[in-house]
Amino acid sequence: MTHLIASLRIRALGVAVRLVPAPTPFMLTGPGSSIELARLIADRGARSVLVVTDQVLVELEVVTPVLNALKAAGLAVTVFSEVEPDPTIDIVMAGIEQLRASGATAVLAVGGGSPIDAAKAMIACHASGRRPQDLDGYFKVRAPVVPFFAVPTTAGSGSEVTVGAVVSDPGAGRKFTIVDNKLVPKAIALDPNLMVGLPPHVTAATGMDALTHAIESNLSTLATPATRALSVAAARAIFRDLPRACEDGRDIAARQSLAVASCLAGLAITRASIGYVHAIAHQLGPLYHLPHGYLNAILLPYVLDFYVDGAASRLAELARACGLGRDGEDPRSLALSLVAAIRRLNASVGIPPTIEQIADADIPEIVRRALAEAHGTYPVPMYMSAADCATIVQRAAGRVMVAATDDRSRAPGARPEKEDI
């Protein structure tokens, strides 16, 4: 009964997504595109801009060329640089106060997923006059938001094109998401020049975050031919270029490729959503203070192990599209080749196979919260039981070496494997 209700909610979500399609921002790409975006903001009539970023990017002067370009375009500039990883309610509230005090007529987020998500939450609350936690859920931003723009400095979150803003609530030990089409930026710049200084471990974690978006959106029951084309293009690029970017951070071609791949994967999840990898990672991040992309990278192959017997055809299709496996291989073998390739990719970019911080005593609550988040919210190809999810978390913690796969956990209404598409 629980899974039936979850399926009905997912169907309703699918109808809503099709009836109210998310907007796509105007995109500038290539070296120097962030400077062009600064001019575009001025050309669109803004007089002043609040730049939302983090202190590390300020200290490393990554944001300096953008600030100079905004000033050269005649804009008054205020900087809010208090954003930290996994921005909290308090950080968002501080940013709202800065936005009100500055009187800014535009907001520009410069940074990874955290500054972009913080900026989204800020403009949502500023427009509606409500707190972040009051906007948890779908389409609660009733009023127009201040014109919003974004320059991602990592290739991972895809937040520059998504409708969601993830906010942490430390008091409740959880993350929640504000979802509204109004949060999509008017324009973005994918500028590899701002990514050349990323250290290898950040490049690796953010790149694997984007790969998780590509794969989970591809497996989604809401996926369409258009979203699958986006997710496949993103996955191919990440398999090819993530090791290059980790090895040589100044490889502009690899950086540009990953920036575009992250954006494509972000567009795919906006329309097709995410799955169990994110549901579990969202519980582990606040609990152990670990980066979201790092957690996604480690969890991804364990979740895909669970899918191998019940969604082999879909995984095989993705493996073929990414040039994995051999001609004539059966779907299950191809599915396994995809999971093996992800494990090799993780190893090649320095991501460990397990999350040692997971405590056995925490696992029941992690499982409860992950399933509560996923069921009825994420269009997963198969449903997990609590035992299935616990086994995955235990494997990710290095406790259990055998995967639990059970066709009885297939999502209600899913067709047998031979008919999977």
Side-chain angles (χ1 to χ4, degrees):
M1 181 61 70
T2 300
H3 287 165
L4 177 59
I5 294 171
S7 290
L8 291 174
R9 290 179 63 185
I10 293 299
R11 288 183 185 180
L13 177 60
V15 171
V17 168
R18 286 165 175 77
L19 289 177
V20 190
T24 300
F26 181 74
M27 299 183 192
L28 299 167
T29 64
S33 57
S34 59
I35 307 304
E36 295 179 48
L37 180 62
R39 300 189 190 106
L40 184 149
I41 293 170
D43 290 342
R44 290 203 172 191
R47 301 181 305 279
S48 57
V49 60
L50 176 68
V51 176
V52 179
T53 187
D54 62 55
Q55 194 58 37
V56 173
L57 292 177
V58 171
E59 292 173 359
L60 294 176
E61 299 187 344
V62 172
V63 73
T64 300
V66 180
L67 298 178
N68 291 340
L70 291 167
K71 294 171 184 175
L75 292 163
V77 178
T78 305
V79 177
F80 177 73
S81 60
E82 296 176 30
V83 179
E84 297 177 355
D86 299 318
T88 63
I89 292 171
D90 287 346
I91 287 173
V92 172
M93 294 302 295
I96 295 166
E97 289 302 314
Q98 185 78 62
L99 176 55
R100 288 172 179 159
S102 71
T105 58
V107 171
L108 170 63
V110 181
S114 292
I116 297 175
D117 277 6
K120 287 180 176 180
M122 288 163 51
I123 63 172
C125 295
H126 179 261
S128 61
R130 301 171 72 186
R131 302 171 302 171
Q133 57 268 45
D134 298 331
L135 299 177
D136 179 8
Y138 291 86
F139 308 119
K140 296 181 180 179
V141 184
R142 308 298 186 196
V145 301
V146 64
F148 175 50
F149 306 86
V151 178
T153 58
T154 62
S157 75
S159 187
E160 69 275 8
V161 292
T162 65
V163 296
V166 180
V167 181
S168 292
D169 182 353
R174 70 179 189 120
K175 292 183 178 182
F176 62 89
T177 306
I178 302 169
V179 179
D180 201 288
N181 285 353
K182 297 182 183 70
L183 303 186
V184 176
K186 299 294 184 185
I188 65 172
L190 305 178
D191 189 342
N193 285 349
L194 302 188
M195 303 180 187
V196 294
L198 280 178
H201 73 278
V202 177
T203 300
T206 54
M208 292 304 297
D209 189 17
L211 182 62
T212 303
H213 294 163
I215 292 175
E216 289 203 308
S217 62
N218 191 280
L219 297 176
S220 164
T221 59
L222 297 183
T224 66
T227 64
R228 286 188 188 132
L230 293 170
S231 61
V232 164
R236 282 174 175 163
I238 294 164
F239 273 116
R240 181 186 65 232
D241 293 321
L242 183 58
R244 288 175 53 197
C246 289
E247 183 177 346
D248 179 6
R250 308 197 74 80
D251 186 330
I252 290 293
R255 290 290 192 192
Q256 180 68 48
S257 171
L258 292 176
V260 172
S262 175
C263 183
L264 295 178
L267 290 171
I269 64 171
T270 290
R271 291 154 177 81
S273 195
I274 48 179
Y276 283 120
V277 178
H278 279 77
I280 299 171
H282 285 163
Q283 317 319 314
L284 300 178
L287 188 58
Y288 302 116
H289 306 291
L290 295 170
H292 175 68
Y294 172 87
L295 293 170
N296 276 353
I298 297 172
L299 290 165
L300 179 59
Y302 295 113
V303 172
L304 295 185
D305 281 338
F306 168 77
Y307 287 146
V308 162
D309 287 328
S313 296
R314 184 70 61 79
L315 290 166
E317 192 176 285
L318 184 57
R320 290 190 197 96
C322 292
L324 302 170
R326 298 184 298 275
D327 291 341
E329 277 192 274
D330 63 276
R332 191 175 192 281
S333 295
L334 284 167
L336 290 171
S337 73
L338 176 65
V339 181
I342 293 167
R343 287 195 163 97
R344 290 195 301 271
L345 180 58
N346 271 341
S348 73
V349 298
I351 292 175
T354 57
I355 305 162
E356 296 180 355
Q357 291 87 342
I358 296 175
D360 289 338
D362 295 333
I363 292 177
E365 184 64 9
I366 291 168
V367 169
R368 187 191 69 78
R369 291 189 178 194
L371 296 186
E373 175 178 325
H375 292 165
T377 305
Y378 299 150
V380 294
M382 296 167 56
Y383 285 133
M384 289 181 187
S385 67
D388 294 325
C389 189
T391 299
I392 286 170
V393 176
Q394 289 165 347
R395 292 191 73 206
R399 311 284 200 278
V400 178
M401 304 309 295
V402 179
T405 56
D406 185 347
D407 272 350
R408 290 173 296 178
S409 298
R410 185 187 306 277
R415 289 172 286 186
E417 181 190 338
K418 65 181 180 181
E419 297 180 11
D420 281 354
I421 57 172

